[in-house]
Amino acid sequence: MLSLAQARALQLAAQGLLQPPRRRPRRDDVVAAIGRMCLLQIDTIHVVARSPYLVLHSRLGNYPTAWLDEALAQGRLAECWAHEACFVSAADIAWHRGGHDHRTHHWAHRHAARMYREQRTEMDALLQSIRASGPVRSADFARTDVAGKPGWWEWKPEKRWLEAWFALGELMVARRDNFQRVYDLAENVMARLDPPFDPAFAPSVAEQRERFILDSVRALGVTPAAWIADYFRLKPKVGDRELALLVASGELLTVPVAGWKVPGYVHRDHADALDQALAGRLRATRTALLSPFDPLVWDRARALAMFDFEYTIECYTPAPKRRYGYYVLPILHRGRLVGRLDAKAHRGSGVFEVKALFLEPAVSPEPTLAHAVAGAIAETARWHGTPQIQLGRTRPAGLARLLRAAWRGAG
C-alpha cells in the first residue's frame, strides 16, 4: 500500500516536480516537459510571469522564455482546446484533431458553434480574408465597438470570430508575437508541424477517449478514477468499470493508497517509479513557486485530497472578498504544499514584490524551510529579471526575519 506521502511523491515525479533540475536546461527540455504533462494551460495574466512560462520554470529552472515561443513557431508545439486553451506537443496534436472531435462538449466549442450560427456571414468573410491575405493578429483590426460586456463579448468582433474559428478548428496559432496569437489556416499550420501531421489519422471515438484516459493517468502519476476526466475535460466521467478493461490489458496498474476507499491507478510507464515509491525511494527535494494554473493544483478537489491544500484562484474574486491576494502562487517544498504568496514583478524597476506570504497553519517556520523558500523566491525573481526582493507581510510574522536573513546570507 502507498502512503499518502508516497502517492504525492509519485505524482510529483510524473509531473517533473520531485527534485531540482540536475543540469542547466536545454531547448528540447521545453517540449519534453510539455510532453510529460501532456498539455500546458495558457493564461494571459502577467502580474508575475504568464502561467505557461512559470509552469516550465517550476520544472526547468532558469530557462529563456523565448524557447517556448520558438518551439511554437517551429511547429514542435501546437495550441488547441484541451483542459482549457493549451500548448501540446506536435506529436500529440493529431489525437486532438483526428477522427471524432471530442471538443464538442467543451464550453469554448459550444460557444463558438453558437456564434457561427448567429454570425455566419461575418465569420465566413473573415476566414476567406485570411485564406487570401495570410496570417493575422487580433491587433490588426481596429476596434469600433464599445467595451463593457463580460468574457468573449468584451472583445472586438474580429477577435471573437478569430477565437471562434480557433475553437472550431479552422484556424490554428502559427506563432505568438509578444504573446499575441498569430492566426493562420489550420492546414498551413499543420503542414509545418514537427513531427509531421498525418491527415489520414482518424482514431475512433473509443480510441481517442482511451488515449486521453491513459495520458491523464500517466501525467497524474497515481489517481483514483474520479480525478481522471478533468485533465482533458472528458465526458462522461471516467469510472472504475471502464478502467478495469485497461487494467486487464496491462495498460494500467492498480495500487491501494492509504486513506482512499477506491483503487489508485498508475500507468504502466510508471511501474518502476511505483516500485520505488512503495520502497520509500522516491525522495521529494524540490522547492518551487507554482503557477495558479499548474497541473498539480488546477483541480482544487485533487489538491485538497493529495496535499491538504485548500486553494482558490482569487484574481477573479472581487478585491474585498479575497483572503490571500490577487495572483497567489502555491509554494511546493519537499513533497508538500506549505504555503502561498501574493507576488508582483515590477520589471521596469527590477523589483520582485512579495505582497504577502502565508504558511499553512500546520507548517512551522523552521530555518531549513525558510532558507529553501527564500531560495525559491530568489531563483524566481532572478529569472524574471527582477532580482531585488521586496517583502511585505508574512504569516507567521517571524518568518520575515528568517527570509531576510537567508537573502542577506546568499548575497
Side-chain angles (χ1 to χ4, degrees):
M1 175 181 288
L2 281 174
S3 69
L4 189 55
Q6 290 168 338
R8 290 172 183 162
L10 185 54
Q11 187 167 103
L12 292 168
Q15 282 285 319
L17 286 167
L18 187 69
Q19 297 173 343
R22 297 182 178 180
R23 56 167 174 77
R24 297 181 64 179
R26 303 167 185 161
R27 277 182 168 83
D28 287 348
D29 294 336
V30 168
V31 177
I34 295 172
R36 179 195 290 265
M37 294 181 288
C38 296
L39 44 75
L40 176 60
Q41 185 175 338
I42 300 167
D43 191 84
T44 59
I45 297 173
H46 60 285
V47 173
V48 190
R50 288 186 173 92
S51 178
Y53 300 121
L54 184 57
V55 170
L56 291 172
H57 171 66
S58 300
R59 289 152 175 80
L60 305 181
N62 187 18
Y63 80 102
T65 58
W67 288 356
L68 177 60
D69 305 324
E70 290 172 4
L72 177 66
Q74 292 164 357
R76 302 183 66 198
L77 299 175
E79 293 189 30
C80 68
W81 282 94
H83 179 80
E84 292 292 325
C86 292
F87 295 104
V88 300
S89 70
D92 288 340
I93 191 65
W95 286 98
H96 294 270
R97 296 187 61 90
H100 172 70
D101 193 343
H102 76 100
R103 299 168 301 169
T104 54
H105 68 265
H106 200 290
W107 70 265
H109 191 282
R110 295 198 310 271
H111 182 88
R114 183 171 65 253
M115 183 177 292
Y116 184 61
R117 290 193 298 270
E118 297 171 353
Q119 303 179 46
R120 180 186 300 261
T121 300
E122 296 89 342
M123 286 182 62
D124 283 343
L126 176 64
L127 193 64
Q128 195 59 37
S129 173
I130 295 172
R131 192 175 300 279
S133 303
V136 298
R137 303 170 303 157
S138 169
D140 295 331
F141 301 91
R143 179 153 202 162
T144 58
D145 63 334
V146 178
K149 295 182 179 180
W152 280 25
W153 297 107
E154 72 179 354
W155 294 339
K156 54 192 170 186
E158 293 85 358
K159 171 64 172 175
R160 296 199 299 267
W161 300 334
L162 289 167
E163 285 294 309
W165 278 129
F166 172 63
L168 293 171
E170 293 295 327
L171 295 181
M172 291 181 67
V173 180
R175 66 182 188 278
R176 283 180 176 261
D177 292 344
N178 295 321
F179 211 69
Q180 291 186 51
R181 282 174 167 159
V182 178
Y183 302 86
D184 197 0
L185 300 176
E187 58 260 35
N188 294 340
V189 175
M190 289 190 290
R192 299 192 297 268
L193 292 180
D194 177 19
F197 177 82
D198 180 4
F201 181 72
S204 68
V205 175
E207 289 170 336
Q208 210 168 26
R209 180 175 172 86
E210 180 178 306
R211 170 61 183 245
F212 289 133
I213 289 172
L214 291 174
D215 278 355
S216 300
V217 176
R218 184 192 294 111
L220 291 171
V222 58
T223 177
W227 298 344
I228 295 173
D230 174 75
Y231 209 78
F232 285 100
R233 303 293 203 212
L234 297 178
K235 288 187 177 181
K237 296 291 187 182
V238 179
D240 291 307
R241 182 176 300 179
E242 182 177 14
L243 296 175
L245 299 175
L246 296 173
V247 173
S249 69
E251 295 288 343
L252 296 181
L253 312 171
T254 59
V255 61
V257 178
W260 294 8
K261 298 179 180 179
V262 294
Y265 294 92
V266 177
H267 195 280
R268 67 177 183 179
D269 288 357
H270 293 321
D272 290 344
L274 174 60
D275 289 341
Q276 292 180 53
L278 286 166
R281 294 200 302 270
L282 282 186
R283 294 184 59 248
T285 59
R286 180 71 165 137
T287 302
L289 308 183
L290 303 182
S291 161
F293 304 98
D294 194 291
L296 194 73
V297 296
W298 74 32
D299 184 332
R300 310 310 173 205
R302 170 160 50 87
L304 182 61
M306 283 291 283
F307 294 93
D308 194 24
F309 191 74
E310 186 176 349
Y311 184 53
T312 301
I313 299 177
E314 295 186 306
C315 51
Y316 305 119
T317 302
K321 296 183 178 180
R322 292 178 193 143
R323 296 176 60 193
Y324 298 107
Y326 177 76
Y327 200 72
V328 175
L329 311 181
I331 304 170
L332 174 69
H333 173 66
R334 294 183 172 271
R336 296 187 297 159
L337 294 175
V338 297
R340 62 197 88 201
L341 76 159
D342 183 22
K344 180 176 176 63
H346 301 272
R347 297 167 184 84
S349 58
V351 172
F352 189 83
E353 179 186 8
V354 179
K355 296 182 177 182
L357 191 156
F358 308 88
L359 292 185
E360 292 297 279
V363 175
S364 174
E366 299 172 355
T368 52
L369 179 144
H371 188 272
V373 171
I377 294 171
E379 177 188 9
T380 303
R382 287 193 299 270
W383 173 68
H384 275 88
T386 54
Q388 183 181 341
I389 302 170
Q390 179 180 310
L391 181 63
R393 63 192 178 102
T394 66
R395 189 185 71 189
L399 178 62
R401 175 180 56 81
L402 296 174
L403 294 172
R404 292 191 176 103
W407 291 324
R408 284 196 302 270

